[in-house]
Amino acid sequence: MATTLQANLRTDLTGSSTRQIRKDGHVPAILYGNKIDSQPVYVESVEFLKTVREVGKNGLFSLNVDGSKHQVMIHDMQIDPLKNEYLHVDFFEVDMKSEIDADVPVRLTGESPGSKEGGVVTHLLYDISVKCLPNDIPEEIELDISELNIGDSIQITDLRDKVSVEITNEDEETVVTVQPPTVIEESEDADAGESGDAEPEVVGEDDSNKEE
């Protein structure tokens, strides 16, 4: 059964009303699409969180607005970093027969042989942009790094034949690389200073001897 999230229309768009919506445990949102007019709505925050966990970042679900159902995906979310609360959500109604652009998260799997030798696995591209039908959007792209040695990398061009949808990133973009370990060389002066062999000079010692 397809996931359904209940939503209600917002008629009062003032700031005080929006704050009250959040205070009551709801998230203000907007529903829009190529074939519908924008509709201010709000959803229950706990149910929205459950929906996000169930369908994922790029998942499709049904948004029921006062009895009218719309096939949507989450286009954008605003989150309060201090309270970790949703401030606003953009719901985009999709045309199931038209291709759309989406960002798909990358998940690294396996252990790089280069990391065992002291190399540093550097994940540079956390999302890959794709273009495809809404139902074909991958939830994530798994990237096996178990054959990467020090100095090796995986670029977008290496993934085009491994991913079933069209990738819109540039070929030369690097997704992950294994960098050589960083060696910090200490100077001879620093070594000498740490040895503690030199005794500090006593200021004024010669002058006191002269007076005697």
Side-chain angles (χ1 to χ4, degrees):
M1 180 182 296
T3 300
T4 299
L5 178 65
Q6 299 295 327
N8 296 293
L9 287 172
R10 284 190 294 147
T11 55
D12 187 349
L13 303 181
T14 61
S16 58
S17 176
T18 301
R19 287 190 294 271
Q20 187 62 45
I21 286 175
R22 296 192 182 104
K23 186 177 180 180
D24 292 340
H26 298 87
V27 183
I30 188 78
L31 167 65
Y32 69 100
N34 296 328
K35 297 182 179 180
I36 61 171
D37 294 331
S38 297
Q39 301 177 34
V41 298
Y42 65 90
V43 295
E44 206 278 324
S45 58
V46 175
E47 292 302 316
F48 173 69
L49 180 58
K50 290 180 181 179
T51 301
V52 173
R53 290 176 175 173
E54 182 176 343
V55 305
K57 179 181 177 181
N58 293 312
L60 296 171
F61 57 95
S62 179
L63 188 70
N64 189 345
V65 183
D66 290 346
S68 177
K69 291 187 176 182
H70 305 265
Q71 195 72 4
V72 302
M73 64 186 302
I74 298 169
H75 184 266
D76 191 25
M77 294 185 293
Q78 297 177 20
I79 302 176
D80 186 332
L82 298 178
K83 298 181 180 179
N84 196 27
E85 296 178 351
Y86 293 103
L87 298 177
H88 193 274
V89 183
D90 291 356
F91 295 114
F92 177 70
E93 183 182 54
V94 299
D95 180 355
M96 302 302 292
K97 298 181 180 179
S98 299
E99 291 186 333
I100 61 174
D101 296 309
D103 291 332
V104 180
V106 177
R107 182 168 66 89
L108 303 183
T109 63
E111 185 176 1
S112 164
S115 65
K116 297 179 181 179
E117 300 174 359
V120 180
V121 177
T122 305
H123 193 175
L124 299 174
L125 202 60
Y126 287 88
D127 293 285
I128 291 178
S129 300
V130 302
K131 184 175 184 179
C132 59
L133 293 175
N135 272 334
D136 296 334
I137 300 174
E139 183 176 342
E140 63 181 13
I141 295 177
E142 289 188 3
L143 204 54
D144 185 5
I145 62 171
S146 59
E147 296 184 1
L148 293 186
N149 295 299
I150 294 177
D152 291 343
S153 62
I154 297 178
Q155 295 181 313
I156 290 295
T157 186
D158 302 318
L159 302 180
R160 295 202 183 277
D161 295 335
K162 300 179 181 179
V163 179
S164 59
V165 295
E166 177 187 353
I167 298 177
T168 58
N169 295 77
E170 298 295 332
D171 282 344
E172 62 273 11
E173 290 186 63
T174 300
V175 183
V176 60
T177 184
V178 181
Q179 298 180 338
T182 302
V183 179
I184 301 177
E185 297 182 358
E186 296 184 356
S187 64
E188 295 180 359
D189 293 341
D191 293 339
E194 293 176 357
S195 64
D197 294 338
E199 295 183 359
E201 180 182 353
V202 180
V203 179
E205 182 177 0
D206 293 341
D207 295 336
S208 62
N209 292 335
K210 288 180 181 179
E211 291 178 359
E212 292 177 357

